[in-house]
């Protein structure tokens, strides 16, 4: 404070002296023998008579007053009090100027001028009015506040500067009765703008004995605004507390609940009241209690604590909480702890699951022998598997393979080709699937691969692709040797088919040409028997018989061989054949045998086929003949002929209930001249099934038998739909 001649003291609302200037210090020492210091109260300085009058004046005028108190016979104490405002327009403290004046000087013109100056320059708006209404005088602050000049203001009534309402009426009425008023009213500026103000008005009698009103007005817009903000904040905090989905609470220093919101009660699985009677400890599982108590203790020492803990509600539900605890300060002393607890049970279990999934995913991709890589739009690798980084790039861990582009590990030409291809895949969104590609690994080793690139987008429409490259070098090698083998096989088959043809040719010629000498033998044997029968003894006749029999058998074999070699040799016309008619014809040829054996024949639906009719007829004929021939003596033969349509071929079945075939012979019976019975038992040469197989082979189908020995057999054969 500037050292001016007038002693000035600053006091607070409780009259405590809070600051002073040097003049005031001297003044107090000289006049009252007191040194101003900490917590010195005005009451202790002023003589008791002056004090009570001062206090009355001060309180009645809201700290704005000027008065002269009788100090001694010759001296008076002149005190002028005015409030000091802070930036928000609130009264911060009061400024007192105190002076000892001789009784004579009390109303000296110098004093009045000084006072006028002070009032004029006060930051309070000060009005001097006639209690009936019109304004007599105003200071500068009043003009500034209401936007009028001092001249304009003079003569205005209170209604011009105060909003007329019931509050104003009440205030004026009260003031007229009590002689003073302190009220919050609405001021009206010249512009018409209204503002809240605190009005302090007191009626006094001037030296001329006229009633006057001294009114001070403080613009409290700022204060009101602050109050509103404070109120809003309070409400916002209250709502934040009440409606917070997280648990919000406070504890005393022992951890007992002082307050908690509904979410906290829900977490605790009980009522707020019940929790208010307890501490938090029983809600923490035993294993976590020591740790949580340590955190709590630290918070009570002033540290903000954030931690995760397990939690058990009073109904036993376990949860995981994310807790933040803060110390509560009152007058700079910690009196408790408040905090927020978030239920992160789901999040934790999801994180756990994610981690497990990630580990599993990692394990899977790392154990896959294919190279797997993911690149982003900038062609940088953002994920690689063990096979890629180790076997292809030759680096020790995934980290070293990340952020690289093909240009960094391949030669320029190969890298460019890859980058272009990647861009195409990412831009078009069309994947590359199993493209054969030759790559070279970090050692320069050549690998045949099957490359797949699948585009995808992630986050903010960023693009990327997942690549999988499978090493098929081994398969390629095998393919190559298989091809070679195939070629060799084909050559061999060609040779074989050539020699088969030659063999067939030979068999045909042989059997054809053998017939003539055989006929000669048999006819000469017949001549021998006819001409010399009476001259030959019994033994010689027997020899002739055996020779003849052998010749007949030989003829049969030759005929069979001829027939076998003819299958497929002579091409027949391919015609549409109704199989039901064909089978009926075959059965007609077998009529005698069927009647003799009283055989039951059942025929299913049979299709129409386009094949060479004579071959098909022979096929059915041989199989039906066998089914009749190898019937069981113990039962009447039952023969079933049926067909089954498959996707690419027809399957036929000729089933009988005959003697059946032992498993070990089921393949052998299709070989030429292979039979399982003596001629004396069942006639035949063992050519029938061999011919069947040759016919079916010729059609491009298969033939096989299924049988239960002693119960019956099923002969199956297939004919492709197109051949
Ligand atoms: P063959 O009838 O002249 O002996 P096949 O080639 O027709 O010649 O038959 C070969 C052998 O298969 C026969 O000797 C017989 O043992 C057996 N076989 C063929 N068909 C049947 C059948 N339906 N039931 C039981 N055995 C059969």
């Amino acid at each position: 404070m500037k050292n001016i001649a007038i002693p000035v003291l600053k006091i607070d609302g409780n009259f405590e002296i809070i600051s002073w200037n040097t003049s005031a210090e001297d003044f107090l020492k000289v006049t009252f023998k007191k040194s101003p210091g900490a917590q010195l109260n005005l009451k202790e300085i002023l003589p008791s008579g002056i004090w009570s009058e001062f206090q009355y004046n001060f309180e009645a005028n809201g700290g704005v007053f000027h008065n002269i108190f009788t100090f001694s016979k010759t001296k008076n104490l002149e005190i002028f009090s005015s409030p000091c405002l802070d930036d928000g327009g609130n009264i911060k403290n009061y400024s007192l100027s105190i002076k000892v004046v001789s009784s004579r000087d009390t109303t000296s013109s110098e004093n009045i001028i000084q006072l006028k100056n002070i009032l004029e320059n006060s930051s309070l708006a000060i009005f001097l009015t006639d209690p009936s209404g019109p304004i007599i005088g105003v200071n500068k602050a009043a003009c500034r506040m209401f936007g009028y000049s001092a001249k304009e203001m003079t003569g205005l009534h209170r209604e011009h500067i105060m909003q007329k309402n019931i509050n104003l009426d009440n205030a004026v009425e009260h003031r007229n009765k009590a002689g003073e008023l302190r009220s919050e009213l609405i001021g009206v500026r010249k512009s018409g703008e209204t503002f809240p103000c605190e009005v302090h008005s007191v009626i006094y009698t001037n030296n001329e004995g006229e009633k006057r009103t001294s009114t001070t007005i403080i613009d409290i817009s700022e204060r009101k605004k602050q109050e509103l903000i404070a109120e809003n904040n309070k409400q916002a905090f209250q709502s934040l507390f009440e409606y917070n989905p997280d648990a919000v609470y406070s504890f005393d220093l022992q951890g007992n609940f002082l307050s908690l919101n509904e979410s906290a009660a829900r977490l605790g699985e009980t009522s707020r009241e019940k929790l208010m009677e307890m501490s938090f400890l029983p809600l923490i599982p035993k294993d976590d209690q020591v740790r949580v108590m340590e955190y709590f203790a630290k918070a009570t020492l002033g540290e903000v604590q954030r931690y995760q803990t397990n939690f058990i509600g009073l109904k036993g539900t376990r949860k995981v909480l994310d807790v933040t605890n803060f110390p509560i300060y009152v007058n700079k002393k910690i009196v408790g702890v408040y905090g927020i607890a978030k239920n992160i049970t789901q999040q934790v279990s999801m994180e756990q699951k994610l981690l497990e999934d990630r580990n599993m995913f990692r394990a899977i991709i790392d154990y896959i022998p294919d190279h797997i890589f993911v690149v982003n739009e900038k062609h940088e690798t953002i994920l690689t598997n063990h096979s890629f980084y180790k076997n292809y790039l030759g680096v020790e861990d995934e980290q070293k393979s990340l952020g690289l582009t093909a240009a960094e590990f391949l030669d320029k030409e190969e890298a460019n080709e890859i980058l272009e291809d990647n861009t195409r895949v990412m831009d078009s969104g069309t994947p590359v699937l199993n493209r054969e590609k030759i790559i070279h690994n970090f050692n320069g080793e050549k690998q045949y691969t099957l490359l797949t690139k699948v585009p995808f987008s992630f986050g903010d429409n960023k693009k990327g692709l997942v690549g999988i490259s499978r090493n098929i070098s081994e398969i390629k090698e095998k393919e190559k040797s298989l091809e070679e083998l195939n070629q060799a096989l084909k050559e061999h088959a060609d040779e074989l088919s050539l020699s088969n043809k030659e063999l067939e040719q030979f068999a045909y010629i042989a059997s054809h040409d053998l017939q003539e000498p055989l006929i000669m033998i048999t006819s000469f044997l017949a001549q021998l028997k006819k001409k010399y029968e009476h001259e030959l003894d019994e033994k010689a006749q027997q020899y002739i018989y055996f020779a003849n029999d052998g010749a007949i058998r030989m003829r049969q074999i030759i005929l069979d061989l001829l027939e076998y070699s003819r299958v497929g040799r002579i091409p027949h016309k391919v015609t549409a054949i109704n199989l039901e008619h064909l089978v009926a014809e075959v059965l007609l040829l077998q009529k005698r045998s069927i009647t003799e054996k009283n055989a039951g024949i059942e025929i299913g639906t049979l299709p129409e086929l386009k094949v060479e009719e004579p071959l098909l007829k022979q096929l059915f004929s041989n199989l039906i003949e066998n089914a009749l021939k190898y019937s069981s003596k113990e039962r009447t033969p039952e023969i079933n002929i049926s067909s089954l349509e498959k996707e690419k071929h027809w399957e036929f079945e000729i089933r009988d209930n005959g003697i059946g075939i032992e498993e070990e012979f089921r393949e052998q019976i299709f070989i030429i001249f292979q039979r399982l019975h003596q001629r004396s038992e069942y006639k035949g040469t063992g050519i029938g099934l061999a011919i069947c197989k040759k016919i079916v082979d010729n059609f491009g189908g298969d033939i096989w038998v299924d049988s239960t020995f002693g119960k019956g057999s099923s002969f199956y054969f297939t004919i492709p739909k197109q051949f």
Side-chain angles (χ1 to χ4, degrees):
M1 202 178 280
K2 232 170 104 189
N3 187 7
I4 53 165
I6 300 173
V8 179
L9 297 173
K10 284 239 167 111
I11 58 165
D12 64 14
N14 297 322
F15 309 106
E16 299 255 352
I17 300 171
I18 50 179
S19 65
W20 52 87
N21 65 1
T22 353
S23 306
E25 195 166 341
D26 296 341
F27 171 78
L28 293 180
K29 272 185 196 155
V30 174
T31 319
F32 301 114
K33 312 277 182 281
K34 290 268 168 81
S35 291
Q39 292 178 5
L40 184 63
N41 200 296
L42 202 62
K43 185 178 172 183
E44 296 163 44
I45 296 174
L46 297 177
S48 61
I50 296 182
W51 163 248
S52 47
E53 204 183 335
F54 169 86
Q55 193 184 12
Y56 172 79
N57 270 283
F58 188 91
E59 280 166 4
N61 297 308
V64 191
F65 71 95
H66 166 240
N67 214 343
I68 293 163
F69 305 92
T70 313
F71 189 44
S72 68
K73 276 190 184 156
T74 54
K75 288 190 172 147
N76 285 343
L77 208 55
E78 183 180 7
I79 300 181
F80 177 78
S81 165
S82 88
C84 307
L85 304 181
D86 63 16
D87 295 342
N90 298 311
I91 295 174
K92 195 163 62 174
N93 47 44
Y94 301 87
S95 174
L96 302 184
S97 63
I98 308 177
K99 226 163 52 157
V100 176
V101 287
S102 70
S103 311
R104 263 183 309 113
D105 295 339
T106 300
T107 53
S108 71
S109 57
E110 183 207 332
N111 273 344
I112 288 168
I113 290 163
Q114 211 168 51
L115 270 174
K116 265 194 162 176
N117 258 338
I118 290 169
L119 285 173
E120 184 59 21
N121 295 311
S122 166
S123 57
L124 289 172
I126 302 172
F127 295 79
L128 185 65
T129 52
D130 189 302
S132 65
I135 295 169
I136 299 169
V138 292
N139 70 348
K140 282 182 190 156
C143 295
R144 270 198 308 277
M145 192 178 285
F146 286 90
Y148 293 99
S149 67
K151 210 169 153 200
E152 284 171 331
M153 270 214 164
T154 314
L156 286 182
H157 278 251
R158 78 173 73 86
E159 285 77 15
H160 293 113
I161 59 164
M162 286 290 139
Q163 199 174 68
K164 193 161 162 41
N165 56 23
I166 184 91
N167 284 351
L168 180 67
D169 295 345
N170 288 344
V172 172
E173 194 185 323
H174 172 82
R175 188 200 55 191
N176 293 346
K177 257 192 227 156
E180 61 128 9
L181 90 89
R182 186 191 288 261
S183 184
E184 282 185 12
L185 297 167
I186 305 292
V188 184
R189 301 191 215 279
K190 186 180 172 186
S191 62
E193 183 199 346
T194 56
F195 64 99
C197 55
E198 192 180 284
V199 178
H200 181 237
S201 181
V202 65
I203 299 175
Y204 68 95
T205 313
N206 70 8
N207 291 344
E208 281 82 47
E210 294 163 329
K211 290 258 185 215
R212 287 285 178 264
T213 309
S214 156
T215 303
T216 55
I217 298 180
I218 303 168
D219 181 345
I220 57 169
S221 316
E222 192 56 33
R223 193 209 303 168
K224 282 279 165 201
K225 211 161 98 192
Q226 294 302 332
E227 277 173 12
L228 201 69
I229 291 170
E231 181 58 25
N232 274 344
N233 283 348
K234 205 173 128 197
Q235 277 180 20
F237 277 115
Q238 192 63 25
S239 305
L240 262 178
F241 176 78
E242 274 309 326
Y243 305 117
N244 202 316
D246 297 333
V248 185
Y249 51 81
S250 63
F251 302 126
D252 65 13
L253 292 174
Q254 281 68 49
N256 300 310
F257 278 99
L258 291 176
S259 66
L260 58 119
N261 66 356
E262 220 22 73
S263 303
R266 261 201 306 280
L267 208 60
E269 299 180 318
T270 184
S271 64
R272 285 164 92 155
E273 293 71 27
K274 172 90 189 147
L275 281 181
M276 288 292 282
E277 290 165 8
M278 44 186 292
S279 90
F280 67 79
L281 210 56
L283 299 165
I284 305 297
K286 287 244 156 6
D287 293 355
D288 275 352
Q289 283 185 351
V290 173
R291 195 171 58 92
V292 170
M293 277 308 282
E294 276 170 16
Y295 285 121
F296 179 76
K298 281 185 183 161
T300 63
L301 294 173
E303 282 180 32
V304 175
Q305 296 294 314
R306 178 150 187 204
Y307 56 90
Q308 282 186 10
T309 176
N310 290 306
F311 178 91
I312 312 181
L314 290 187
K315 286 187 184 154
T317 316
R318 282 182 84 97
K319 284 156 193 165
V320 184
L321 304 185
D322 178 15
V323 177
T324 310
N325 280 345
F326 312 85
I328 307 174
Y329 286 94
V330 170
N331 288 337
K332 297 185 181 166
K333 266 182 68 185
I334 296 172
V335 296
V337 168
Y338 67 93
I340 297 179
K342 203 186 238 319
N343 182 355
I344 53 163
T345 318
Q346 247 182 345
Q347 185 188 326
V348 166
S349 75
M350 260 168 67
E351 274 168 11
Q352 186 66 27
K353 170 107 189 27
L354 262 166
L355 193 73
E356 281 167 13
D357 284 356
R358 208 201 114 79
N359 287 344
M360 193 169 70
F361 163 76
R362 199 64 236 184
I364 292 170
I365 68 161
D366 278 342
Y367 278 102
I368 285 176
D370 299 352
H371 302 330
I372 298 178
F373 56 94
V374 181
V375 296
N376 64 15
E377 210 164 15
K378 289 187 251 161
H379 303 280
E380 294 160 345
T381 48
I382 52 174
L383 185 143
T384 60
N385 73 338
H386 182 266
S387 174
F388 185 89
Y389 66 74
K390 189 79 202 281
N391 306 333
Y392 180 54
L393 293 185
V395 295
E396 276 318 301
D397 55 59
E398 188 198 7
Q399 213 52 39
K400 292 192 177 125
S401 72
L402 299 183
L404 300 177
T405 67
E408 285 162 86
F409 52 81
L410 292 175
D411 66 50
K412 209 173 159 193
E413 202 180 321
E414 202 174 345
N416 277 346
E417 189 200 320
I418 286 180
L419 297 186
E420 274 172 28
D421 191 49
N422 286 358
T423 310
R424 203 168 29 246
V425 170
M426 286 190 259
D427 289 352
S428 67
T430 315
V432 163
L433 299 173
N434 290 332
R435 178 199 288 159
E436 277 197 26
K437 182 159 173 54
I438 295 172
I439 59 167
H440 296 92
N441 73 1
F442 69 103
N443 270 336
E445 282 164 16
K446 181 173 162 184
Q447 284 182 0
Y448 290 93
T449 61
L450 265 192
L451 181 67
T452 293
K453 291 180 185 177
V454 183
F456 70 96
S457 52
F458 60 99
D460 306 331
N461 272 337
K462 281 184 191 143
K463 291 175 191 166
L465 64 82
V466 179
I468 303 166
S469 127
R470 172 165 300 181
N471 186 349
I472 53 160
S473 302
E474 223 171 282
I475 299 171
K476 272 276 165 197
E477 289 302 323
K478 280 190 184 144
E479 232 175 51
K480 219 166 119 193
S481 56
L482 216 62
E483 247 169 47
E484 285 166 8
L485 206 68
N486 253 347
Q487 187 57 31
L489 225 57
K490 196 171 167 295
E491 282 164 18
H492 197 63
D494 288 348
E495 277 168 23
L496 218 61
S497 112
L498 208 67
S499 54
N500 256 352
K501 274 209 176 88
E502 281 165 2
L503 215 62
E504 270 178 22
Q505 189 82 4
F506 166 75
Y508 176 74
I509 292 166
S511 46
H512 187 269
D513 291 358
L514 274 176
Q515 277 191 83
E516 209 187 295
L518 198 61
I519 290 166
M520 224 165 88
I521 292 170
T522 34
S523 65
F524 278 102
L525 277 173
Q527 290 289 333
L528 195 65
K529 196 179 173 208
K530 195 176 157 193
K531 285 200 178 164
Y532 303 100
E533 194 175 19
H534 308 293
E535 294 165 41
L536 295 173
D537 64 2
E538 208 175 312
K539 195 145 212 137
Q541 288 209 26
Q542 213 176 3
Y543 287 161
I544 291 172
Y545 173 78
F546 284 144
N548 199 33
D549 190 46
I552 292 167
R553 270 165 55 203
M554 193 170 171
R555 184 162 184 268
Q556 188 56 49
I557 290 170
I558 288 169
L559 285 175
D560 285 351
L561 208 58
L562 201 60
E563 192 185 347
Y564 181 79
S565 64
R566 268 188 189 137
V567 174
R569 258 176 75 83
I570 313 144
H572 301 275
K573 243 171 94 187
V574 173
T575 46
I577 301 151
N578 182 323
L579 271 188
E580 283 171 14
H581 292 169
L582 185 136
V583 170
E585 276 174 41
V586 171
L587 289 175
L588 203 64
L589 293 173
Q590 303 286 338
K591 197 177 172 202
R592 202 167 135 205
S593 175
I594 295 170
T595 322
E596 261 174 26
K597 297 200 172 197
N598 196 20
I601 314 274
E602 207 178 304
I603 305 166
T605 322
L606 298 174
E608 201 168 83
L609 289 181
K610 275 192 172 174
V611 283
E612 295 165 85
E613 185 179 15
L615 296 182
L616 197 64
K617 198 180 221 170
Q618 190 167 13
L619 179 59
F620 272 102
S621 183
N622 286 3
L623 292 174
I624 293 169
E625 193 185 324
N626 275 355
L628 286 164
K629 181 157 69 165
Y630 297 103
S631 60
S632 168
K633 291 190 175 69
E634 289 154 23
R635 50 191 175 262
T636 330
E638 294 290 340
I639 300 168
N640 187 296
I641 303 159
S642 61
S643 70
L644 191 65
E645 185 171 9
K646 297 277 174 84
E647 195 191 335
K648 291 189 173 151
H649 60 256
W650 285 94
E651 187 178 288
F652 296 92
E653 182 188 358
I654 286 95
R655 191 173 73 233
D656 64 52
N657 61 346
I659 57 170
I661 303 160
E662 281 167 288
E663 197 170 347
E664 55 192 297
F665 301 122
R666 285 183 200 161
E667 305 238 330
Q668 189 183 316
I669 54 173
F670 292 100
I671 298 171
I672 189 163
F673 299 136
Q674 292 286 331
R675 50 196 323 263
L676 308 178
H677 303 278
Q678 292 296 325
R679 269 193 323 130
S680 52
E681 255 184 298
Y682 295 98
K683 278 190 177 156
T685 53
I687 192 84
L689 289 179
I691 288 178
C692 288
K693 181 161 168 41
K694 205 171 173 201
I695 292 172
V696 173
D697 282 350
N698 215 39
F699 287 156
D702 275 325
I703 185 164
W704 70 97
V705 65
D706 198 6
S707 179
T708 310
F709 186 59
K711 288 199 166 170
S713 316
S714 274
F715 280 83
Y716 296 94
F717 65 89
T718 61
I719 297 181
K721 285 180 177 171
Q722 284 177 337
F723 64 90

